[in-house]
Amino acid sequence: MIPVAEFKQFTEQQPAFKVLKPWWDVLAEYITIAMLMIGVFGCTLQITQDKIICLPNHTSADKEYTENPQATNASEEDQAITTAPPTSTREMSGLRNNLDLQQYSFINQMCYETALHWYAKYFPYLVVIHTLIFIICGNFWFKFPGTSSKIEHFISILGKCFDSPWTTRALSEVSGETTQEKTAERDISKTNFDETSPVTGDLPVPEKIVAETPSEVRFSFAQLSLPAILDKKEEQQAKALFEKIRHFRAHAEDSDLVYRVYVSQTFFKVVKVAITLGYSLSLVGSFSFHHICRPGIKNLMGYSMFTCTHNLAFILEKLLLTYIVLVCVYAFLSAYALFWLFTSSLKVYSFDKNSEGPGFSDIPDVKNDFAFMLHMVDRYDTLYSRRFSVFLSAVSEGRLRELALNSEWPSEKLRQMINKDTKGRIELQLAMIPVIPKDVYELREIEVLKLELISSAKLVGAVSQLKSLSELHISHCSVKMDPDAFAFIRERLQVLHVRFTDMEELPSWMYSLKNLSQLHLSGNLNCSNNKSIRLHSLRGLSGLRSLSLTSNFSQLPSAVLDVAWQLSKLSIQNGDTELRSLGQLKRMNHLLVLQLCHCKLSRIPGALLGLTSLQCIDLTSNRLQLVDELGTLQRLRSLNILRLSHNAICRLPPSIELLRNLEELSISYNNLENLPISLFNLVRLRHLNVSYNRIRLIPPEVGHLTRLETLAIISNQISSLPRELFRCSRLRSLHVSSNQLSSLPSEIEKLPLLSSLDLMGNNLTELPQEIGNCLQLKKGGLDVEEHVLGTLPPEVRKKYL
């Protein structure tokens, strides 16, 4: 007898693999165990009790003896009995055969081989063989080298994800969202849309803003629902799981081998079970108690035909019927599995569609083997895939990094990073960290907050503690905020700087900051290159006065024209992309400052003449050559600053003297060879910069600029300074480095307010002693070579060392 334990190795599987066994595979496994039991039981019966019992057929034997009495080898005693009178036959109690026990055994063995159907003899063994094949087919994908490693790795990670404390925490936080929180965040979005939509209703609601808002709503974590800090070991384990899953996902999505192996083994099972069922049904009648045996050994036994019975025919027939029923059920399960495989999209898995209840919809669809294994897990229990999704979500990973960061960035460390900007304001810059540390909100003195390359930046209601915050810088990160944070930022924020590379980095809440006065945007807004990135209407920014755009568009965005009437400053840095259609500038009749830099302008735009309120025009870094139109700017009676640096201007027209209110003129980095005398009729000029040209001479008329405070003529070809220059008694800064000066006039003592003098890179051999009479010129204010400085008397030289 074969013990069932011997077959345990064929059905034994790691308990963890059950998560990848759908109900049909589990039921099929139990059926194969039942079929295996039938086969083992049948084999045991055949080995121990399988017999066939045969008796001679007397009717045929008597007939043959009468026709040919010499043909038998019977003894005389048997012949006597055979020829006895009828009275003796009636006295017999049964039939007497002339066979001994060994002859019966021989006949039984011969007839077992010749008369018994082959299926009756080998049925149990075939059942065992077929069942083993079914077991191998059902578990082949767990053992095949190309798939087993992926499956074992997946199950190992799945178990760790299921048991991880971070999984429970993350799911609890997502489930902990209240209806009020969700409603409040939707209200933010609604406010954004309503306030940014034009009054006339001719512009559609921005699609991208609509797409962003639900994700913000869905992923709001309950800030106070659970303890803020995980155990350090648990935190490290969760980080390791995120990394493992990232690598496993990249590996599993490379191919669909697991899927193809499972489909192949299922198809093979269907074919195999069809063959098995077909021939088994046709052989049901092979089990019988009555068999006629003609072994062909009449010369040994005296009989040519025997009647036999098989003692296991009944029970083997019932086992066969039971086996056929089980095979039919197995066939149905295999066919259903094959139907499911070919009618379902198993090579793509979406957590939005397959996860029930609250979860993470930021997870992109997974594909190939990864998707197939997740579908199989769902057949076992969707809770596994939900808990697994925690480690596929960027939101969840960001939340974990936030908790870790909160412990790594306490308020003491953050205070050490506080600086003061050029305006003396208290500034904090955070760069290249996962999230915003919560202790930032305890630094209540912050006035300027800079966020750069923060992957999961989010402002929470605690930002309202930063009462002094008025300026926010966002660089290449998408900043989201909850309702309380939005309400505070909307009321308090005055200045916003945004650097972006794609649409997601342009915050939707930006369009509803009604008290924002300055907006600085830097990124690609050229619709011809990238149609997905565009500014939506800025009409919701009712307090906006200054707009700065660093981009590369060919014409003014319509969003700028929406606020044209309220702007007092417009600055465009256009990345050397030609800016056309400047006629729309006429609508900005309240503009005070206009900067058009790197716009490939070849002439001064005529539209500027209509902007009568302009005080400053900056056309730096263009392609201006002839600026004869300068005289027409006299219409701009408020114009006092003109910057034309980094162009190709070769001369200034005499009409420049018409700009009588001009106080600052910068024409550096051009091709000027001389300065027109009319320039020095601008008697209100306080700052003049003609550096980096080819000027050889400063006209004596420079002395007419009695209000001049700053003069820069760096990197020209000046060989001497006119003595009339020192009539400009208000001069505070004189920069004449990198020229050809051989001497400095002693009249320099007539500049009592001079505090900065740059003489580097000239041909000076000495300095006049009178320079010491410039009382405001002190240490650090004089920039000259050491050997030239050494020519001064010690008491004077000491003043500048």
Side-chain angles (χ1 to χ4, degrees), residues 41 64 156 186 282 296 311 345 456 505 539 541 665 702 729:
F41 180 61
E64 290 178 2
S156 172
R186 291 192 183 98
S282 65
N311 59 343
S345 180
S456 300
E505 295 175 359
R539 291 183 180 178
L541 308 180
L665 176 61
V702 69
S729 57

Side-chain angles (χ1 to χ4, degrees), residues 500 521-525 548-553 571-574:
F500 61 93
L521 300 177
S522 178
N524 179 14
L525 291 172
S548 176
L549 301 174
T550 301
S551 187
N552 58 344
F553 42 78
S571 176
I572 297 177
Q573 302 280 342
N574 211 37

Side-chain angles (χ1 to χ4, degrees), residues 477-539:
C477 58
S478 178
V479 178
K480 296 179 174 57
M481 57 179 67
D482 62 20
D484 293 337
F486 173 75
F488 173 80
I489 293 295
R490 186 182 184 186
E491 295 295 328
R492 296 297 184 90
L493 199 63
Q494 297 292 319
V495 183
L496 176 62
H497 293 253
V498 180
R499 295 177 64 88
F500 61 93
T501 53
D502 54 47
M503 196 65 183
E504 292 181 356
E505 295 175 359
L506 276 174
S508 59
W509 46 263
M510 174 185 74
Y511 301 97
S512 299
L513 301 176
K514 62 180 182 180
N515 291 326
L516 191 71
S517 61
Q518 296 182 32
L519 177 60
H520 302 262
L521 300 177
S522 178
N524 179 14
L525 291 172
N526 192 337
C527 296
S528 61
N529 294 339
N530 192 342
K531 296 183 179 180
S532 64
I533 296 182
R534 62 185 181 89
L535 279 178
H536 301 299
S537 177
L538 299 177
R539 291 183 180 178

Side-chain angles (χ1 to χ4, degrees), residues 409-664:
W409 292 75
S411 57
E412 295 78 9
K413 182 177 179 180
L414 290 169
R415 285 188 185 278
Q416 296 175 2
M417 301 176 62
I418 291 180
N419 297 309
K420 286 191 176 181
D421 63 7
T422 55
K423 298 180 181 179
R425 298 174 301 176
I426 299 176
E427 171 187 289
L428 175 64
Q429 181 173 2
L430 300 174
M432 300 182 70
I433 57 177
V435 293
I436 301 174
K438 66 174 184 177
D439 286 347
V440 167
Y441 308 120
E442 297 180 7
L443 309 179
R444 300 180 180 178
E445 66 273 24
I446 294 177
E447 298 175 78
V448 181
L449 179 60
K450 295 184 176 181
L451 307 175
E452 182 176 358
L453 294 171
I454 299 179
S455 56
S456 300
K458 182 177 182 181
L459 294 174
V460 298
V463 74
S464 60
Q465 300 177 31
L466 307 181
K467 301 295 184 182
S468 302
L469 183 65
S470 61
E471 184 170 334
L472 180 61
H473 292 246
I474 300 172
S475 180
H476 301 294
C477 58
S478 178
V479 178
K480 296 179 174 57
M481 57 179 67
D482 62 20
D484 293 337
F486 173 75
F488 173 80
I489 293 295
R490 186 182 184 186
E491 295 295 328
R492 296 297 184 90
L493 199 63
Q494 297 292 319
V495 183
L496 176 62
H497 293 253
V498 180
R499 295 177 64 88
F500 61 93
T501 53
D502 54 47
M503 196 65 183
E504 292 181 356
E505 295 175 359
L506 276 174
S508 59
W509 46 263
M510 174 185 74
Y511 301 97
S512 299
L513 301 176
K514 62 180 182 180
N515 291 326
L516 191 71
S517 61
Q518 296 182 32
L519 177 60
H520 302 262
L521 300 177
S522 178
N524 179 14
L525 291 172
N526 192 337
C527 296
S528 61
N529 294 339
N530 192 342
K531 296 183 179 180
S532 64
I533 296 182
R534 62 185 181 89
L535 279 178
H536 301 299
S537 177
L538 299 177
R539 291 183 180 178
L541 308 180
S542 56
L544 189 64
R545 295 296 179 265
S546 175
L547 177 60
S548 176
L549 301 174
T550 301
S551 187
N552 58 344
F553 42 78
S554 56
Q555 58 184 5
L556 287 177
S558 59
V560 176
L561 303 178
D562 291 340
V563 291
W565 61 272
Q566 66 188 55
L567 289 179
S568 60
K569 179 180 179 180
L570 175 62
S571 176
I572 297 177
Q573 302 280 342
N574 211 37
D576 288 327
T577 299
E578 185 177 1
L579 183 61
R580 301 185 295 270
S581 303
L582 292 177
Q584 296 171 328
L585 289 174
K586 295 179 181 179
R587 298 171 56 181
M588 302 182 182
N589 48 15
H590 291 90
L591 209 59
L592 301 178
V593 178
L594 176 62
Q595 294 179 332
L596 301 175
C597 304
H598 299 280
C599 297
K600 285 189 175 181
L601 299 178
S602 57
R603 54 176 302 189
I604 297 176
L608 271 59
L609 302 179
L611 305 178
T612 56
S613 298
L614 272 180
Q615 297 177 2
C616 174
I617 296 177
D618 188 348
L619 301 179
T620 300
S621 300
N622 283 285
R623 294 182 175 180
L624 300 177
Q625 293 182 352
L626 299 176
V627 286
D628 295 335
E629 306 92 343
L630 282 179
T632 61
L633 296 181
Q634 64 176 320
R635 301 179 186 178
L636 311 179
R637 300 189 180 278
S638 299
L639 184 66
N640 52 39
I641 298 176
L642 179 61
R643 295 170 183 158
L644 303 173
S645 300
H646 293 274
N647 281 281
I649 301 173
C650 56
R651 67 179 183 86
L652 291 176
S655 60
I656 194 172
E657 65 179 351
L658 300 177
L659 307 179
R660 299 188 180 279
N661 294 321
L662 209 60
E663 296 182 7
E664 179 183 334

